[in-house]
């Protein structure tokens, strides 16, 4: 018995570009996860432009928590792109849900009071749309 089940890559019939996009999604999830986990302020001040005031510890703690979830998701995305490509469509759907909710919250439901948007607010709507394109490609069989 091994930690990882056998690879399913040979059984994947969708577009190769979808797998590459999923790999890019993994990297673009892992990098912020590392930033939120290991920058002294979690990126809240230096990247997000937040005035943390007297709740600095709480804000940094929340950013570190977000970093931990991003690292876990990023590792999962990377494992699918590298070893379990038959799950590409499912994980692209998860990227769409994540980025779609980030966009909805960042621009509609709870936009920043200060008016300053962190980088993820700008990239998330476009990334969700791109993920939808690659999801469609992942679900269509490759041409021989």
């Amino acid at each position: 018995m091994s930690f990882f089940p056998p690879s399913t890559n040979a059984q994947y019939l969708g577009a190769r570009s979808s797998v590459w996009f999923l790999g890019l999604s993994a990297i673009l999830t892992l990098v912020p996860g590392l930033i939120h986990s290991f920058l002294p302020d979690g990126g809240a001040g230096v990247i997000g432009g937040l005035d943390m005031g007297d709740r600095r510890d709480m804000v940094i703690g929340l950013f570190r928590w977000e970093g931990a979830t991003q690292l876990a998701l990023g590792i999962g995305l990377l494992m699918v792109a590298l070893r379990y490509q038959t799950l590409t469509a499912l994980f692209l759907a998860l990227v769409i849900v994540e980025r779609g909710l980030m966009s909805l919250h960042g621009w509609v439901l709870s936009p920043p009071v200060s008016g300053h948007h962190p980088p993820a607010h700008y990239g998330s709507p476009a990334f969700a749309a791109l993920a939808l394109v690659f999801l469609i490609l992942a679900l269509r069989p490759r041409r021989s």
Side-chain angles (χ1 to χ4, degrees), residues 112-134:
V113 177
S114 70
H116 174 80
H117 288 272
H121 284 190
Y122 294 99
S124 289
F127 209 78
L130 280 172
L132 178 61
V133 169
F134 285 104

Side-chain angles (χ1 to χ4, degrees), residues 18-88:
S18 295
V19 174
W20 282 99
F21 183 80
L22 190 66
L24 175 64
S25 299
I27 293 166
L28 293 176
T29 301
L30 289 166
V31 169
L34 291 168
I35 289 169
H36 293 320
S37 292
F38 298 111
L39 268 185
D41 71 348
V46 297
I47 296 172
L50 294 178
D51 176 15
M52 295 178 271
D54 62 346
R55 301 306 306 230
R56 181 177 174 80
D57 290 342
M58 182 185 71
V59 172
I60 292 172
L62 288 171
F63 270 65
R64 297 223 191 286
W65 185 7
E66 173 63 14
T69 63
Q70 288 173 313
L71 289 173
L73 176 61
I75 291 168
L77 293 169
L78 191 59
M79 289 304 301
V80 169
L82 295 176
R83 192 165 168 90
Y84 304 107
Q85 295 173 2
T86 53
L87 297 172
T88 296

